[in-house]
Amino acid sequence: MRPVSGCGLVLRLERIVFFSFSFSTVITAARCRLPACLPAAVRASSAGIMAAFLTHQQKVLRLYKKSLRHLESWCIFRDKYRFYACLLRARFDENKNEKDMVKATKLLRAAEEEFWANQHPQPYLFPDSPGGTSYERYECYKVPEWCLDHWHPSEKAMFPDYFSKREQWKKLRAQSWDREVQQLQEETPADGPKTEALPPARKEGDLPPLWWQYVTRPRERPM
């Protein structure tokens, strides 16, 4: 890897494209609306969690965010970082109206190669991010969800809203479990799954397979 300055990262990223429209070269999995009894955050994010592929727009946006993070690692002083961040955004906007997907894909690939060649050797990482000093620090405090079944009624009475919703979720799980397993069996290749991503719901009103683990997942910081 060749050492470069902060401005070098920006000046080398000349062929990055930014798409303002949601046109994709990859067909993403179908997204179906979840029942209203599920939490709003789960209904809003389940389709994205279950998606197996990234659209072209998502790849460009993630490349732009990574470029800014590594640029921030190169430029220690904030005023210098803001100057080159504006230049970086201007280069993203140069081809935002590009309609030729073949050309756009080539530009994106070239931009990703430029980023890989000029990335910071030790970029700043947030403590809770993968590789950070506090990553998965609280995992040891997270208990399985089934432990709530063994709570005393007096303990459950302290959280009436949650446990009333939990009983509804348990009924939904009992009703949809057979359909979830059948969908997994039908869509899993004979030689085994190719990715860890789970398929989304295929029909309106159905629940995605193994939705229970997302609805009842513990807090990131239980303490």
Side-chain angles (χ1 to χ4, degrees):
M1 180 183 300
R2 291 174 294 178
V4 295
S5 61
C7 61
L9 176 63
V10 177
L11 297 178
R12 295 291 300 277
L13 293 173
E14 297 179 350
R15 296 190 293 273
I16 301 178
V17 293
F18 174 80
F19 270 66
S20 60
F21 54 91
S22 58
F23 186 83
S24 172
T25 55
V26 181
I27 301 177
T28 55
R31 299 180 178 179
C32 298
R33 187 177 62 180
L34 300 179
C37 60
L38 295 180
V42 175
R43 296 199 307 270
S45 62
S46 293
I49 295 175
M50 299 292 183
F53 302 101
L54 293 177
T55 64
H56 182 88
Q57 182 188 29
Q58 290 173 328
K59 292 180 181 179
V60 175
L61 291 176
R62 294 191 180 192
L63 177 62
Y64 174 65
K65 184 176 181 179
K66 289 191 300 182
S67 301
L68 284 179
R69 292 301 182 192
H70 282 250
L71 179 61
E72 190 175 16
S73 299
W74 282 114
C75 300
I76 301 177
F77 299 103
R78 196 66 183 178
D79 55 345
K80 182 179 179 181
Y81 161 75
R82 287 303 308 154
F83 174 76
Y84 289 113
C86 293
L87 296 181
L88 178 64
R89 180 55 187 263
R91 285 172 168 79
F92 268 82
D93 289 338
E94 285 181 359
N95 297 297
K96 67 178 182 180
N97 295 321
E98 179 62 54
K99 303 297 183 180
D100 188 355
M101 288 305 299
V102 176
K103 179 180 178 181
T105 303
K106 292 181 180 179
L107 292 174
L108 176 60
R109 181 176 179 180
E112 291 175 342
E113 293 177 354
E114 293 279 352
F115 168 79
W116 179 262
N118 296 282
Q119 62 182 326
H120 197 279
Q122 291 183 329
Y124 172 79
L125 297 176
F126 292 100
D128 296 334
S129 300
T133 57
S134 301
Y135 181 61
E136 294 185 345
R137 171 177 293 181
Y138 301 94
E139 291 297 322
C140 59
Y141 300 105
K142 297 179 181 179
V143 297
E145 189 277 336
W146 54 264
C147 292
L148 297 178
D149 294 330
H150 300 281
W151 277 29
H152 191 271
S154 61
E155 296 177 314
K156 295 182 180 180
M158 299 173 62
F159 308 95
D161 295 337
Y162 174 79
F163 281 96
S164 62
K165 293 180 180 179
R166 186 172 180 271
E167 292 300 323
Q168 298 179 10
W169 297 339
K170 292 173 67 175
K171 294 179 181 178
L172 278 176
R173 182 178 61 172
Q175 296 173 1
S176 64
W177 176 253
D178 293 336
R179 294 194 300 269
E180 296 174 31
V181 175
Q182 181 180 0
Q183 179 181 350
L184 288 176
Q185 292 176 347
E186 293 176 353
E187 300 187 12
T188 302
D191 55 347
K194 303 298 184 182
T195 177
E196 296 182 357
L198 296 174
R202 300 301 182 185
K203 297 181 181 179
E204 183 74 20
D206 285 353
L207 293 169
L210 305 182
W211 61 273
W212 177 262
Q213 61 181 337
Y214 294 105
V215 176
T216 61
R217 65 186 184 276
R219 298 174 58 185
E220 293 299 324
R221 295 191 177 187
M223 297 184 63

